[in-house]
Amino acid sequence: MTGVAAMRRALECHAKLDAMVWHGQVSTHGQLLHRMDQHLMWLKPQGVSAGDVVALDGDFSPAAVSLLLALAEMGCVVVPQARPKEARLQERMRVAGVQWHFHVDNDGNVATRRREVPERHPFYQQLAGRGAAGLVLFSSGSSGLEKAAVHDLGALLQRFQKPGRSWRTQAFLLFDHIGGLNTLFYTLANAGCVVALDSRDPDAVLASAARHRVRLLPTSPTFLRLALLSGAHLRHDVSGIERITYGTEPMDQPTLQAVAAAFPNAALQQTYGLSEAGILTSHSRAKDSLWVKLGGPSVETRVREGMLEIRSPSSMLGYLNAPQPFTPDGWLMTGDHVLTDGPWFRILGRASELINVGGLKVHASQVESVILELSDVAEVRVHALDNALTGQAVAAVVRPTAPPGNGLPTRVRAHCAQRLERFQVPVRVVVQQAALHGERFKKLRNV
């Protein structure tokens, strides 16, 4: 059974169970399937056909999710979007060669717009040749260019045929993010329920988790730190949360230990995924450990010169707008530096985040972890600073927990001097009141 067909079968088998909570309204798996069939009847008269590239702009609503599944069953190439600003949307549609733009509003209404595209990309022709649905995911662009990764959607869905645990899950990661889609597909395939959010403010997220009896909270290290600093976990009953998964960026030890203490009833699981390869099966060494095992069915990993590489049947076909990151023997070069301890990995960060101080390598995440030990630092971004003597030096931007942050730069440098080598200590520390993360609650590094 194909991955797309298996998803329909899962909805049929669990027809009477809750599938989604949207603005407080519950939809069952059967209702979601019925809406999917309504979309299929509507799409063909509109002129949409197999192989068409469709931008689907929406959120985790029954209307948007059922339309996504209908487009997959038709064999279209879906380009999910989480309501970006118009200029960003237009650029993404240009890069992806979008032929149809569907906008789904909060009431479930679908606005359609046809676009003319001069020619189809060879990747799309490849998908059409084997009758496969496609998926285009844009990277966050937090470290530079937003890269457009093309997937065989059926191959991605195939991995969800293996039975898993049924979770009532908070849809924290976005509709256009590999982590958000992984949450959606896994939950629906295993008779679970996806609880959508009106806001990703810490109070709104944890209030929703308490109100809707959420058991699984997938999120990011940045969000978890901000949630703890806000005290939201003390204002809402979070005792029902059984598991918190975190990914999208490296976790720091101070935040992980604080989360473990604040959520004593919850297991903590580090996840690892890429827009280019999907989410890998992972297993944390311990609740407060940054070491993790990675793999999954038919997934291979290897490390060359400290860099993680992956070979997986669910890896993308390639990028639409960037050089292809594959080795000659078919391994995906993730760009992530890792340490190894037998079968365990510790993710240090992207190669692009390395700072070369006179030939000595500094990982930005290592310095950030030390700075986050200070209780009055909410966020930090460490980056390279041009230096005439050493080529580069370490610099940091910090956002304090409360203004004005007087004396904070001096205390940051003094603390780093006690905990780090001299070449790792920031030579410049700038205090900034604006957030250092984007809409995906991932640190922005290309600023």
Side-chain angles (χ1 to χ4, degrees), residues 367-368 370-372 374 376-377 379-385 393-400 404-417 420 424-432 436:
V367 181
E368 289 165 353
V370 170
I371 295 174
L372 287 172
L374 298 171
D376 52 351
V377 173
E379 294 184 88
V380 58
R381 179 180 67 242
V382 168
H383 60 94
L385 185 70
V394 178
V397 179
V398 296
R399 182 167 76 90
N406 292 335
L408 186 55
T410 300
R411 285 188 292 106
V412 165
R413 286 193 293 269
H415 181 68
C416 289
L420 297 170
Q424 298 172 312
V425 176
V427 300
R428 178 188 296 174
V429 178
V430 176
V431 176
Q432 175 177 306
L436 301 179

Side-chain angles (χ1 to χ4, degrees), residues 292-423:
V292 63
K293 282 183 182 178
L294 301 174
S298 305
V299 176
E300 301 172 86
T301 59
R302 73 182 185 190
V303 177
R304 292 198 305 164
E305 298 180 356
M307 304 292 291
L308 178 63
E309 296 180 353
I310 297 169
R311 189 157 60 184
S312 166
S314 62
S315 290
M316 68 174 183
L317 277 65
Y319 290 130
L320 294 175
N321 60 341
Q324 307 310 326
F326 293 99
T327 64
D329 54 346
W331 290 76
L332 173 68
M333 298 179 286
T334 67
D336 280 321
H337 274 280
V338 297
L339 297 177
T340 58
D341 181 12
W344 301 95
F345 296 99
R346 180 167 176 178
I347 313 298
L348 299 178
R350 310 291 288 179
S352 58
E353 298 164 15
L354 272 178
I355 303 169
N356 189 337
V357 183
L360 299 172
K361 301 296 192 296
V362 180
H363 283 282
S365 60
Q366 180 183 5
V367 181
E368 289 165 353
S369 182
V370 170
I371 295 174
L372 287 172
E373 293 172 351
L374 298 171
S375 61
D376 52 351
V377 173
E379 294 184 88
V380 58
R381 179 180 67 242
V382 168
H383 60 94
L385 185 70
D386 289 340
N387 185 282
L389 294 177
T390 60
Q392 291 181 331
V394 178
V397 179
V398 296
R399 182 167 76 90
T401 55
N406 292 335
L408 186 55
T410 300
R411 285 188 292 106
V412 165
R413 286 193 293 269
H415 181 68
C416 289
Q418 293 178 341
R419 299 274 283 105
L420 297 170
E421 298 293 334
R422 183 175 179 179
F423 67 91

